[in-house]
Amino acid sequence: MLSSGPKTPKNRLLSWWESLTPLSRLLAIALAAPLTVLNAWAFSEIFGYFESLSATVLVASLLAFLLNYPVSWLEARGTQREPAAILVFLVALLLLVGLGVTLLPLALTQAQQLYSRLPEWLDSGQRQLVMLDERIDTMGWPISLDAFIAQINDRLKGQLQTIASQALNLTVNLAVFTVAKLVDVLLTVISTFYLIQHGRDVWSSLIEWLPAKIQQPFSNTLRLSFQNYFIGQLIIAICMGVGLISLFVLLKVPFGLLFGLTIGAMALIPFGGTVGIALVTLLVALRDIGSALQVLAVALVVQQIVENLIAPRVLGSVTGLNPFWVFISLLTGARVGGLLGVVVAVPTAVVIKEALEVVREARAAGDTTQKDPHLTTESVISVKDLPQENTDKETSTTQLF
């Protein structure tokens, strides 16, 4: 028989919530919803005002967070923090410069060629639709594509005029655009180098504002959420990009390097790889439907292999979120913070999910204690009683950097 002990005090917020009637709870939710929307709008406006600074800090933090893992690996083997950080930073910088010098010019060249040949592809797509309409008429099916073809023709002409005007504006403003982006890139590189060396001190100064009892759990949850998400998406993007570029070049798909890089880059965001495959398939279908079907089949096979075989074996479950909530978090992030909001939306949603699960478990533990007065916190199984094979790995580093 379990020994009795002092009752565990319940959280004040949970006690207040349980004291409300169902109607009062509904009223509280109705009052909290507009405040939540107002706070989201205010955050969006503040982020828009400091967009350049926020983008620089956020990108630098994410890069430093990813580069911290090879730095920690070198530290574990006896290398001091500062030399390890400098070495990893220089290697990463050389890799990025190497990719920019080799792949980027080829991709830009293919993009220019695609832009120049796009009108021909559009005419080819219209001819294929006309041939399909004639075949449907020959088979006697009561379907007509004439109105559809005319509507597509008008819209495509308008889109081509818009693209041409944007290209002219881009040529005029190219110098200013380049200088501004170079300054942002330079600031991002400097911030990344600083955060690799001193990120732990910065994170400690931020986490100290939280209550002492939740500092370590919050830090671990945030670290693991961002780690699983970004490393998982990076593995998926690299595998899909390399696999599709190799197969597209082998199959002599037009602009295979550009299309493979596009799908790989879009795969950094959940559902982005699927959208990229659909976009590339539609573009190739303008030129030839047979080639488009071939591209679609190859891309889907590579996507399924990467997402169902490679990524789970490396990381297991990346987010643990239902795809519906992933989609909702992406839409919310895009509405609040644009592209950067999309980047951090899913790991932020994972942190919120983990926090809600902790609150639910605390509430369930409080209900169990109320039902059995002999049950105390001493008799509840703690993390220390569990096997330490996984928990030691997860709690070994309480800092984000």
Side-chain angles (χ1 to χ4, degrees):
M1 182 175 179
L2 297 173
S3 61
S4 61
K7 276 192 174 182
T8 304
K10 296 186 66 175
N11 185 278
R12 293 182 179 179
L13 182 60
L14 290 177
S15 300
W16 170 79
W17 179 258
E18 292 175 354
S19 65
L20 297 177
T21 63
L23 183 60
S24 300
R25 294 182 183 181
L26 182 61
L27 181 60
I29 295 175
L31 292 176
L35 293 177
T36 304
V37 174
L38 180 62
N39 289 331
W41 173 81
F43 178 78
S44 177
E45 292 296 320
I46 295 173
F47 183 83
Y49 184 78
F50 297 100
E51 182 176 3
S52 179
L53 177 62
S54 301
T56 300
V57 173
L58 183 58
V59 172
S61 301
L62 294 177
L63 291 176
F65 175 74
L66 293 176
L67 294 178
N68 179 66
Y69 291 98
V71 173
S72 300
W73 183 81
L74 291 176
E75 275 189 300
R77 280 151 181 79
T79 308
Q80 295 183 355
R81 176 79 183 183
E82 186 173 353
I86 295 175
L87 177 61
V88 170
F89 177 79
L90 292 177
V91 171
L93 190 61
L94 289 176
L95 287 176
L96 290 177
V97 172
L99 291 176
V101 172
T102 55
L103 292 181
L104 187 60
L106 294 176
L108 290 177
T109 301
Q110 291 194 2
Q112 294 175 353
Q113 295 175 356
L114 176 62
Y115 175 77
S116 62
R117 295 181 59 181
L118 189 58
E120 300 178 4
W121 285 25
L122 295 175
D123 293 337
S124 174
Q126 293 177 10
R127 289 195 298 269
Q128 292 183 72
L129 287 176
V130 171
M131 294 175 58
L132 179 61
D133 187 40
E134 293 177 352
R135 182 170 299 180
I136 291 175
D137 291 338
T138 303
M139 298 177 65
W141 291 357
I143 302 175
S144 178
L145 300 178
D146 295 336
F148 180 69
I149 294 174
Q151 187 176 9
I152 288 182
N153 189 20
D154 295 338
R155 291 189 177 184
L156 288 178
K157 288 182 179 179
Q159 291 294 330
L160 285 177
Q161 293 176 357
T162 302
I163 292 174
S165 62
Q166 291 178 352
L168 292 176
N169 294 333
L170 180 62
T171 304
V172 173
N173 301 323
L174 184 60
V176 178
F177 176 82
T178 303
V179 170
K181 289 303 178 184
L182 283 177
V183 172
D184 291 339
V185 170
L186 182 60
L187 291 176
T188 302
V189 171
I190 295 174
S191 301
T192 302
F193 181 68
Y194 178 82
L195 287 176
I196 292 176
Q197 292 184 307
H198 307 286
R200 291 179 178 176
D201 298 332
V202 174
W203 179 247
S204 297
S205 64
L206 294 175
I207 203 70
E208 287 176 355
W209 290 90
L210 296 175
K213 63 180 181 180
I214 69 170
Q215 287 181 8
Q216 181 175 344
F218 176 77
S219 181
N220 289 335
T221 300
L222 190 65
R223 177 178 58 85
L224 291 174
S225 300
F226 276 74
Q227 168 188 330
N228 292 342
Y229 173 74
F230 284 110
I231 295 182
Q233 293 301 128
L234 188 62
I235 290 175
I236 291 174
I238 292 176
C239 292
M240 286 193 64
V242 173
L244 289 178
I245 290 174
S246 303
L247 292 176
F248 286 168
V249 172
L250 182 63
L251 297 175
K252 297 182 180 180
V253 176
F255 311 111
L257 174 62
L258 176 63
F259 290 157
L261 284 177
T262 300
I263 297 175
M266 296 182 70
L268 288 171
I269 302 173
F271 307 113
T274 303
V275 175
I277 292 173
L279 178 62
V280 169
T281 302
L282 290 176
L283 285 175
V284 178
L286 294 175
R287 178 178 177 270
D288 181 52
I289 295 180
S291 299
L293 294 176
Q294 189 178 27
V295 167
L296 179 62
V298 170
L300 289 179
V301 169
V302 173
Q303 183 186 37
Q304 294 302 313
I305 292 176
V306 171
E307 293 185 353
N308 296 322
L309 294 180
I310 297 179
R313 289 181 179 274
V314 175
L315 290 173
S317 178
V318 176
T319 63
L321 282 178
N322 187 283
F324 173 78
W325 295 115
V326 172
F327 183 71
I328 294 298
S329 63
L330 290 175
L331 294 180
T332 305
R335 183 66 182 87
V336 174
L339 179 59
L340 291 178
V342 172
V343 172
V344 300
V346 175
T348 303
V350 173
V351 173
I352 295 175
K353 168 181 172 289
E354 295 293 334
L356 293 177
E357 288 183 353
V358 169
V359 172
R360 184 179 61 183
E361 291 174 0
R363 184 178 179 183
D367 294 340
T368 305
T369 306
Q370 276 189 339
K371 292 179 180 179
D372 190 353
H374 299 289
L375 184 63
T376 65
T377 53
E378 297 178 356
S379 61
V380 179
I381 298 177
S382 63
V383 179
K384 297 180 181 179
D385 300 323
L386 297 176
Q388 298 296 315
E389 297 177 357
N390 297 326
T391 56
D392 290 341
K393 296 179 181 179
E394 295 180 357
T395 59
S396 59
T397 304
T398 59
Q399 301 292 339
L400 188 61
F401 294 95

